Amino acid sequence: KGDNMADKKIKVTLTKSTIGCKQAHRATIRGLGLRRINHTVEVVDTPQVRGMIRAVQYLVRCEG
């Protein structure tokens, strides 16, 4: 079945350090799979992932 949501991906790049951030925001960054500055991961475009990105939008850059 061609489920459109499962095919969509978002590239997320960590642009700022998590030093001094809230513990919950650090956990969100780790949950997205980001490990270091300028590390980029592709995540599936779901409402849950979009919410995670929105919570830490001051630390990351998104594409596509």
Side-chain angles (χ1 to χ4, degrees):
K1 299 174 182 130
D3 188 22
N4 291 346
M5 286 301 281
D7 301 337
K8 298 273 187 178
K9 298 274 187 159
I10 302 175
K11 279 188 180 179
V12 185
T13 305
L14 185 63
T15 57
K16 293 180 76 177
S17 173
T18 56
I19 294 172
C21 292
K22 292 181 178 179
Q23 197 67 34
H25 289 189
R26 287 187 201 191
T28 301
I29 292 294
R30 296 293 293 133
L32 287 168
L34 295 165
R35 296 178 178 270
R36 58 193 168 273
I37 294 176
N38 290 328
H39 186 210
T40 302
V41 294
E42 277 196 0
V43 291
V44 178
D45 185 5
T46 62
Q48 293 84 359
V49 168
R50 282 183 178 248
M52 292 171 76
I53 292 169
R54 192 172 299 119
V56 294
Q57 65 186 357
Y58 64 100
L59 296 172
V60 298
R61 181 169 32 100
C62 300
E63 302 165 29

